[in-house]
Amino acid sequence: MGTGIDLYVPSLPIIADYFHVSGGLIQLTISSYMLSYALGQFILGVLSDALGRRKVLLYSGLTFILASIMAAFANNIYILILSRFLQGLGTAGMAVTIRAVAMDNFTGISLAKAMNNISIGWSLGPILGPFIGGYLQHYFNWQADFYFFSIYGLLIFLLIFFTLPESHFKLQPFHPKKIFINVKAILAHKVFVFSALACYLFYALSVVFNMVGPFLIQKNLNFSAVAYGKIALLLGTAYFIGNITNRMLINYLKPIHIALSAGCVAILIALVMLNLSLFLPINIYAILLPGTAIFFLGGLIVPNMIGLSSAIFPAHVGGTVSALFGTIGLLATFVVSIFTTLLQTNTAFPLSVLYVGLIIFVSLLLILILKSEKGIVASQPN
């Protein structure tokens, strides 16, 4: 479900024209998705510990399908925003639960590789989503994106229904007091909290690009929706290659060392991007070249933060761990997405400034992770 944002971003300017609304309002379809994606992970992750992984996956998939159909038939912008909110809930349930399934089945280096594989699968969204969405917009209309979501969601639902067995058998009773104790113990671990923030704030770079990019590239540089899809395809491919590279590196280097090195290089590249936006007229290469390098480096940071946080706590609370990881990170991403709606899209300078700020903050978090105490906190979830 990594295509939840990326598929329809080439259609954002067209949707804004269709509903006769501003770009800022149409960008709220992404922010509403991110908000429910964040909050839904906490609720559904905890439920997966109590009810099992399979049930949450199936009901989440069904929600995504119905919300996609609702979006395709939206007759005003507010129905579309509501539909996107519901889509986010469906995506949240699948995202949080599949990470918990990995925790149920793997430990150690095997868990790190499993989380990297999940990140690789998720990275196919930014690779294929805008590319497919650009052609859907070109040959059909923006509603076709959501018909595609419906069919895609149905295929995933059927795949889960027929092939994925339950992996969580040590069910945790749904006791609010016990849940509160577990949540408190998990949030007390600095490495866990810093990892979640570092992961999703770097992920926020792609969200920012998807919110600003279509207006910057299609409206100001006069590229078509298909061309934008190809540009996003290149950026997504860079992230995918970063994931593949990371899978090889984790056999030889510690995940935090890989991530911190990538963060330091990303700062330098973002500063180059900022200077290009200051001294050169807006052009596609000044956006695309540094952006491609930064997305590659994201492939070395994001999966390592997921793997690092997942290895801290026992598997029987994997749903809660995964839920808090996603909720913390996605709430931070939601805040960034709201701020992004205020950015001007007639120049690359605001985008570059935000990139520099986010990458510096992520790198500081990585330094704090490196300096934090090793091991597990004294208070463990029950």
Side-chain angles (χ1 to χ4, degrees):
M1 286 300 167
T3 57
I5 293 175
D6 306 280
L7 183 80
Y8 87 112
V9 292
S11 298
L12 287 181
I14 290 86
I15 297 174
D17 292 340
Y18 180 88
F19 288 117
H20 305 291
V21 297
S22 67
L25 187 57
I26 208 68
Q27 286 169 340
L28 286 178
T29 62
I30 294 179
S31 297
S32 65
Y33 178 91
M34 296 304 303
L35 178 61
S36 62
Y37 192 5
L39 298 178
Q41 289 208 38
F42 176 73
I43 298 168
L44 297 170
V46 173
L47 281 177
S48 78
D49 283 342
L51 303 176
R53 316 299 188 208
R54 182 177 162 84
K55 287 181 181 178
V56 173
L57 278 168
L58 289 173
Y59 282 113
S60 297
L62 187 60
T63 299
F64 183 87
I65 295 168
L66 296 176
S68 299
I69 296 171
M70 180 180 173
F73 288 94
N75 57 10
N76 64 66
I77 185 60
Y78 302 105
I79 296 296
L80 183 60
I81 291 173
L82 175 60
S83 302
R84 291 288 293 159
F85 184 88
L86 295 174
Q87 268 192 317
L89 286 177
T91 306
M94 288 180 278
V96 70
T97 307
I98 206 65
R99 291 197 300 267
V101 169
M103 292 177 67
D104 291 337
N105 290 284
F106 302 101
T107 58
I109 189 65
S110 296
L111 178 60
K113 289 182 176 180
M115 290 301 179
N116 192 80
N117 288 340
I118 290 173
S119 181
I120 289 173
W122 211 254
S123 70
L124 292 176
I127 295 174
L128 298 177
F131 183 71
I132 295 171
Y135 279 102
L136 288 174
Q137 176 60 52
H138 181 75
Y139 289 108
F140 301 101
N141 50 44
W142 67 266
Q143 289 93 341
D145 298 330
F146 294 97
Y147 292 134
F148 183 93
F149 277 138
S150 304
I151 297 170
Y152 178 47
L154 178 61
L155 292 175
I156 291 178
F157 177 86
L158 293 174
L159 185 66
I160 294 169
F161 186 84
F162 288 110
T163 67
L164 186 68
E166 179 58 61
S167 63
H168 178 56
F169 301 102
K170 191 178 178 182
L171 300 181
Q172 302 295 299
F174 196 79
H175 293 156
K177 183 177 180 180
K178 186 173 182 180
I179 292 171
F180 176 78
I181 292 172
N182 287 344
V183 167
K184 184 178 178 181
I186 294 167
L187 292 180
H189 201 295
K190 292 181 180 179
V191 171
F192 176 83
V193 175
F194 294 158
S195 297
L197 288 172
C199 172
Y200 278 99
L201 286 176
F202 209 100
Y203 166 74
L205 297 177
S206 67
V207 175
V208 169
F209 185 82
N210 282 330
M211 294 178 71
V212 174
F215 297 94
L216 193 63
I217 294 171
Q218 291 172 236
K219 287 284 188 179
N220 291 285
L221 295 175
N222 298 315
F223 283 83
S224 67
V226 171
Y228 175 81
K230 292 178 180 178
I231 290 168
L233 173 68
L234 176 62
L235 297 177
T237 301
Y239 179 79
F240 180 80
I241 294 172
N243 273 194
I244 297 295
T245 304
N246 182 69
R247 182 175 172 81
M248 295 184 290
L249 290 177
I250 56 177
N251 291 310
Y252 308 102
L253 300 171
K254 290 184 177 180
I256 184 58
H257 292 160
I258 297 171
L260 184 55
S261 298
C264 292
V265 176
I267 291 174
L268 297 176
I269 295 172
L271 289 172
V272 170
M273 183 178 181
L274 178 62
N275 279 280
L276 290 175
S277 71
L278 278 172
F279 299 110
L280 292 179
I282 181 173
N283 70 88
I284 190 63
Y285 298 106
I287 300 170
L288 191 57
L289 294 178
T292 301
I294 289 170
F295 272 59
F296 168 80
L297 295 166
L300 302 177
I301 294 175
V302 172
N304 283 317
M305 294 302 96
I306 298 174
L308 186 64
S309 65
S310 300
I312 296 172
F313 301 102
H316 68 269
V317 289
T320 303
V321 171
S322 182
L324 289 171
F325 183 84
T327 300
I328 292 169
L330 284 166
L331 282 175
T333 305
F334 168 72
V335 172
V336 173
S337 74
I338 290 295
F339 181 76
T340 303
T341 63
L342 305 176
L343 295 182
Q344 296 294 320
T345 57
N346 57 349
T347 171
F349 178 71
L351 176 68
S352 301
V353 171
L354 190 55
Y355 265 42
V356 170
L358 283 173
I359 294 171
I360 289 175
F361 189 65
V362 167
S363 298
L364 290 175
L365 287 169
L366 295 173
I367 292 171
L368 290 174
I369 291 171
L370 189 62
K371 290 184 175 181
S372 295
E373 294 181 355
K374 296 181 179 180
I376 312 301
V377 291
S379 178
Q380 279 287 309
N382 297 312

